[in-house]
Amino acid sequence: MLHLILVGAALLSFLVYSYPCIKKQQKLALTDLARQSEESLRVIQKILRRLFRLSGSELTVIGRENIPDGAVLYVGNHRSYFDIVTLYPLFPKPTGFVAKKEMSTWATLADWMRLGNCVFMNRKDLKEGLKAILESVEKIKAGISLVIFPEGTRNTSEDIRELMPFHEGSMKIATKSGCPVIPVAITGTRDIFERQFPCIRPSKVTVEFGKPIYIRELSPEDRKYPGAYVRGKIIEMLNEEQIRRG
C-alpha cells in the first residue's frame, strides 16, 4: 500500500502543480515547436521515471543499440498502465504514443499528452481513425517517433507469450511513412499494478528493443500482414525472456 500512496501522491502533485509549466510549453510551441517537444519530453520523462522508482521496481533494458537514428514506430505488447511509465523515459528523442480517443478528455493529463506528441485515435470511427493515421505519418516525417500497442487494449493473459491479434491498420503508419518498425517486448509491468489491484508492488521489469523491421523489405506475403509479422517477432523475444527468467 505504501508504494500506491507514494506513486499516487507524486502523480497527483504533478498534475495539480504543473499547470504553469503547461502554459509555458503551449506558448513555446507557437514559436519553437522543436524546442517545446524536447523540453516537454524531459519534463514527462522526469515524472514518469520518478513514478517507476516509487513503485520499487527494477528495470532491465535490452537492445538499445537497435534503435536507429531518425524517427521510428515502436510496436509493443500491452500489459499494464505501467508500460507507458516504463517506456517513455527510455526514448532518446521526442516520441509520442498513439492513445485511445477517450484519453483526450482527461484534463491536465491530456494536455501533457498533446505536448508529448501523442495522437488520439478513435478506433470506432473509420474516418477519424484514418485522420489519426495521417497525423501520425506527418509526425514521423517531422522526425517524431511514435509508440503503438496493436493489441488495442491491455492483455490480461497470465502467459506473457500469449498475445492478442494485432490490428493490421496500426502498421499503416510505417507503410505510409516508410519508417522502420522497432518491436518492443515488455514483461513484468502487469505485476506492478494490475495483478494485485488496487495495490502497487515492486516487480522485475524487462524491456527489449528488437532489430528494425522495414515493411517494404519484407516478402510479398509478410507485407500483406505486417502486424502478424511484427507480432511473431515480439513473441520470439518474449519466449527468450521466459527462458531467461527460468
Side-chain angles (χ1 to χ4, degrees):
M1 187 59 70
L2 175 61
H3 293 293
L4 175 64
I5 294 172
L6 292 174
V7 170
L11 179 58
L12 181 61
S13 178
F14 173 75
L15 294 177
V16 170
Y17 294 107
S18 66
Y19 184 75
C21 188
I22 290 174
K23 290 302 178 183
K24 176 184 176 183
Q25 292 300 308
Q26 289 173 336
K27 184 177 180 180
L28 179 60
L30 299 175
T31 58
D32 193 339
L33 189 58
R35 180 182 169 191
Q36 177 267 306
S37 292
E38 288 285 352
E39 288 189 5
S40 294
L41 174 71
R42 302 311 167 200
V43 172
I44 298 170
Q45 285 182 327
K46 183 177 180 180
I47 180 59
L48 294 184
R49 194 176 290 114
R50 182 182 302 169
L51 295 183
F52 185 87
R53 186 170 61 250
L54 290 174
S55 77
S57 299
E58 300 177 18
L59 176 62
T60 299
V61 181
I62 303 171
R64 283 181 187 267
E65 68 279 3
N66 290 326
I67 303 175
D69 294 332
V72 304
L73 179 65
Y74 296 98
V75 177
N77 61 314
H78 194 17
R79 301 285 294 171
S80 168
Y81 286 118
F82 269 84
D83 292 340
I84 296 173
V85 175
T86 304
L87 279 177
Y88 208 88
L90 303 179
F91 300 132
K93 50 186 174 288
T95 303
F97 281 83
V98 178
K100 58 184 180 181
K101 184 71 173 180
E102 291 80 0
M103 296 184 73
S104 65
T105 63
W106 291 10
T108 307
L109 179 59
D111 289 332
W112 275 114
M113 292 178 71
R114 291 187 180 92
L115 289 169
N117 290 297
C118 287
V119 175
F120 297 102
M121 179 176 288
N122 186 348
R123 292 189 176 93
K124 298 178 181 179
D125 187 313
L126 291 178
K127 185 177 179 179
E128 288 295 312
L130 178 58
K131 184 179 178 180
I133 289 174
L134 294 177
E135 181 184 349
S136 299
V137 170
E138 288 304 310
K139 285 188 178 293
I140 292 287
K141 290 182 177 180
I144 298 167
S145 297
L146 287 172
V147 182
I148 193 165
F149 299 119
E151 290 174 283
T153 188
R154 284 170 291 134
N155 189 336
T156 59
S157 173
E158 292 299 321
D159 188 341
I160 63 172
R161 302 162 296 180
E162 186 177 314
L163 304 187
M164 293 181 286
F166 278 16
H167 294 285
E168 290 292 340
S170 61
M171 294 295 106
K172 289 182 179 179
I173 298 172
T175 56
K176 288 181 178 295
S177 67
C179 75
V181 171
I182 301 296
V184 184
I186 309 167
T187 54
T189 48
R190 188 167 180 266
D191 296 332
I192 299 175
F193 182 56
E194 282 79 1
R195 182 163 286 170
Q196 57 272 321
F197 177 84
C199 295
I200 288 178
R201 293 177 182 169
S203 172
K204 292 184 178 181
V205 177
T206 300
V207 173
E208 181 174 0
F209 296 102
K211 294 181 179 180
I213 298 170
Y214 294 86
I215 304 299
R216 294 172 183 173
E217 296 179 2
L218 298 178
S219 68
E221 184 62 30
D222 288 330
R223 283 202 303 272
K224 291 181 182 179
Y225 304 102
Y229 180 85
V230 176
R231 177 178 179 271
K233 291 297 181 181
I234 294 174
I235 290 175
E236 289 178 9
M237 295 157 66
L238 292 171
N239 280 330
E240 292 173 2
E241 177 60 20
Q242 184 76 354
I243 293 172
R244 285 193 290 264
R245 293 187 174 218

